Amino acid sequence: MLKAARVAGRLFAMLTKFHNQTRLLRTGRRESKMKKIVAALMLLNSPAFAKDPYFSDLVKRPEVRKNWSKIISGHKFRKEDGWIIRHDGLRGPLETISINSEQFFKDDGCQPHDCLDNSIVILVNKRTRQIWMVHRKITFPSRNVSYIYFGEPSDPMKSKLKSLLSKI
């Protein structure tokens, strides 16, 4: 966000210099337009418009795709869990969270019309691009809950993944 403010500040300074040199902006109306342009540029540089806002975008990067393929290879997904592999289902944009001073992208999602019984949380380390995932499945009619972990998470990481999953 600080970078966006700096860029917008520089742009505003350039536009003001242009204004002073050409005297085109004599009315408050044009100056108002200039401020709107700067505001729009700041908005476009905000986290909402950041690169890779969804996991499906992030996994297109070669280093992330490689790690994603590695953690899901060898696992037999049920037909109804295909939404995980296709990166669809009900999902929001990536969030950035901090765990023990490390920065992670967090993605969570669930199977449409079955969020409580079939959901996931994915964490991607921003520095190393290592990926961990937990998949919660609740079976019928027994209501047995199973957690499947991907990426060989440590016990503290399993706890964190499970904790994040409980917030869905």
Side-chain angles (χ1 to χ4, degrees):
M1 198 61 160
L2 186 61
K3 183 180 177 184
R6 254 186 295 189
V7 169
R10 286 183 185 158
L11 181 61
F12 189 81
M14 286 174 27
L15 289 172
T16 303
K17 184 177 178 182
F18 176 77
H19 159 66
N20 291 337
Q21 288 175 349
T22 61
R23 304 271 185 223
L24 287 177
L25 301 174
R26 291 178 193 235
T27 65
R29 194 174 185 199
R30 291 206 186 233
E31 195 167 331
S32 170
K33 284 184 180 180
M34 184 173 72
K35 287 180 182 177
K36 286 179 183 175
I37 291 170
V38 170
L41 289 171
M42 285 179 69
L43 177 66
L44 288 173
N45 205 8
S46 73
F49 290 94
K51 192 173 182 183
D52 303 322
Y54 293 90
F55 184 74
S56 58
D57 297 321
L58 185 66
V59 83
K60 290 176 186 172
R61 292 182 173 187
E63 69 275 11
V64 177
R65 182 177 44 243
K66 177 183 166 193
N67 290 338
W68 174 251
S69 297
K70 189 164 55 170
I71 71 162
I72 64 168
S73 66
H75 182 75
K76 302 251 187 226
F77 286 94
R78 300 176 308 167
K79 182 180 176 183
E80 59 268 21
D81 296 332
W83 63 273
I84 298 170
I85 299 167
R86 292 186 308 269
H87 315 295
D88 58 6
L90 299 177
R91 292 177 120 125
L94 292 173
E95 295 176 38
T96 299
I97 63 170
S98 181
I99 303 172
N100 298 330
S101 73
E102 284 274 355
Q103 295 289 309
F104 294 86
F105 288 116
K106 179 182 90 73
D107 178 44
D108 53 48
C110 61
Q111 181 180 16
H113 310 292
D114 197 15
C115 278
L116 292 175
D117 297 338
N118 194 352
S119 51
I120 61 170
V121 168
I122 301 170
L123 291 176
V124 181
N125 185 306
K126 281 186 163 186
R127 186 177 48 82
T128 65
R129 300 296 194 226
Q130 187 173 358
I131 302 173
W132 298 273
M133 178 174 75
V134 62
H135 178 204
R136 176 182 61 203
K137 294 191 290 189
I138 302 176
T139 56
F140 285 103
S142 65
R143 303 297 294 160
N144 289 331
V145 180
S146 63
Y147 295 93
I148 302 167
Y149 294 94
F150 296 81
E152 301 175 7
S154 63
D155 288 338
M157 181 59 80
K158 284 182 181 180
S159 295
K160 187 62 179 175
L161 286 164
K162 200 171 179 181
S163 159
L164 292 168
L165 190 59
S166 68
K167 296 175 184 173
I168 295 179

